[in-house]
Amino acid sequence: MRRLDVASDPLKIQLLHLLAVLAAPEENWPTLHSIGALPKVLQVLTSGAAKSSPPLTNAVLECLSAFAKDESTWEPIGSTALSTLLPMVWAGDVVLQRAVVHLMAECSQNNSVKELVRDSAGLPTLVQLMASPDEVVLEQAVVCVSFLSDAKQLRASLGGVGIVGASARVLERLSLGRPLIKERALWTLANMLPEPAWQDEFVRCDGLRLLAAQLTSDHTVIQSYALKIVVLLVRSGHHRPAMQAAGFSDLLRLVAATGTTDTLRLGAQACLKYL
């Protein structure tokens, strides 16, 4: 570890690859912590050397991704790395984008890191990444946003950068598959849509049509999240006429009759009383 500071770039890269391998087994984590491995890796990142050397940047990211499997590293990685890595997203290729957004998604499960993402350029960056042509980048961005939306204090900031519209567009783009991404996008919307202004944005983004398609999904989890959003919209009452016009009464009768769980059937029956 003492050589990492002063080593040449090729040697740094070799040492970082070795650390990434060593960090993979959980039993090695205490030893790596005891020798201060993570601060040394972060020092390589913040020294500026990585910015001018894509291979070194990739080696640092590989190493940080390995360390991030340990929850105790999320805050130090998030507080030091994200502010450095986020500006690099648009300068690198899709491999770099995948690595950075994966690291963001991992570390954003930590409440302190969620605040840091908000206070950095993180939120607008995530909105842009949710429109990425690369589905791996898109998926990790959606997962990251879903973690952020769990924090009530972040929802105003998320709404302010257009997360509701971005999540709706994810459903549109992935209408033929990728159930995991749809689940996380619907989870984000369910967190955001108690706010009437964001319900309006969702409807403006053709959200009712997209929601109807998820309500009849073959995936029970997707159906459940979609029904949760329907409940929010029905209870608020503002968009009931539009929902009636969009055929939600017939869809809910179908779910009430054929739902695979009691929650789905009873939830659909309850919604029908309002439509």
Side-chain angles (χ1 to χ4, degrees):
M1 286 308 303
R2 287 191 296 270
R3 300 192 63 184
L4 193 57
D5 291 340
V6 296
S8 64
D9 283 0
L11 182 55
K12 278 191 178 83
I13 290 168
Q14 291 181 31
L15 290 170
L16 288 165
H17 284 320
L18 177 60
L19 281 173
V21 172
L22 291 173
E26 186 174 346
E27 57 267 24
N28 288 345
W29 295 349
T31 301
L32 292 170
H33 286 312
S34 70
I35 62 174
L38 179 58
K40 292 286 189 182
V41 175
L42 292 171
Q43 190 175 347
V44 172
L45 180 65
T46 57
S47 68
K51 291 182 181 180
S52 58
S53 171
L56 184 55
T57 300
N58 291 335
V60 170
L61 282 166
E62 177 192 15
C63 196
L64 291 178
S65 294
F67 275 101
K69 293 179 175 64
D70 176 2
E71 292 183 21
S72 71
T73 69
W74 290 347
E75 187 169 356
I77 290 175
S79 61
T80 304
L82 293 184
S83 60
T84 303
L85 290 169
L86 280 173
M88 300 169 65
V89 165
W90 307 118
D93 58 14
V94 72
V95 175
L96 177 68
Q97 290 184 3
R98 287 178 178 181
V100 171
V101 75
H102 173 76
L103 195 61
M104 284 181 67
E106 199 81 69
C107 294
S108 291
Q109 296 174 77
N110 176 277
N111 288 330
S112 297
V113 175
K114 289 176 184 179
E115 299 281 354
L116 291 166
V117 173
R118 178 187 64 183
D119 296 337
S120 68
L123 298 184
T125 299
L126 283 168
V127 172
Q128 292 175 278
L129 291 172
M130 286 172 70
S132 170
D134 183 82
E135 286 199 356
V136 176
V137 173
L138 181 150
E139 177 174 358
Q140 291 303 312
V142 171
V143 169
C144 186
V145 166
S146 72
F147 290 143
L148 296 174
S149 73
D150 285 337
K152 290 182 180 180
Q153 72 273 20
L154 296 186
R155 290 175 189 166
S157 299
L158 286 166
V161 295
I163 291 296
V164 169
S167 298
R169 287 189 290 276
V170 166
L171 295 177
E172 173 76 89
R173 177 172 159 189
L174 300 172
S175 57
L176 298 179
R178 300 302 291 249
L180 174 62
I181 308 180
K182 284 198 222 175
E183 287 175 19
R184 300 312 301 183
L186 287 165
W187 176 254
T188 297
L189 289 167
N191 281 336
M192 299 295 293
L193 290 182
E195 174 61 45
W198 297 327
Q199 292 182 10
D200 293 343
E201 181 183 350
F202 180 66
V203 172
R204 283 196 302 272
C205 294
D206 202 18
L208 293 181
R209 178 181 63 83
L210 299 170
L211 184 61
Q214 312 317 314
L215 197 57
T216 56
S217 169
D218 293 334
H219 296 269
T220 300
V221 175
I222 290 175
Q223 271 192 300
S224 298
Y225 288 161
L227 184 60
K228 184 175 181 179
I229 295 170
V230 171
V231 170
L232 290 171
L233 295 171
V234 165
R235 283 181 177 170
S236 73
H238 184 53
H239 296 291
R240 285 181 200 166
M243 295 178 76
Q244 290 168 343
F248 272 83
S249 296
D250 290 340
L251 288 171
L252 289 167
R253 288 190 191 97
L254 179 64
V255 174
T258 63
T260 54
T261 67
D262 288 343
T263 302
L264 281 170
R265 291 191 296 272
L266 295 173
Q269 290 169 9
C271 286
L272 278 168
K273 296 176 183 178
Y274 295 95
L275 287 177

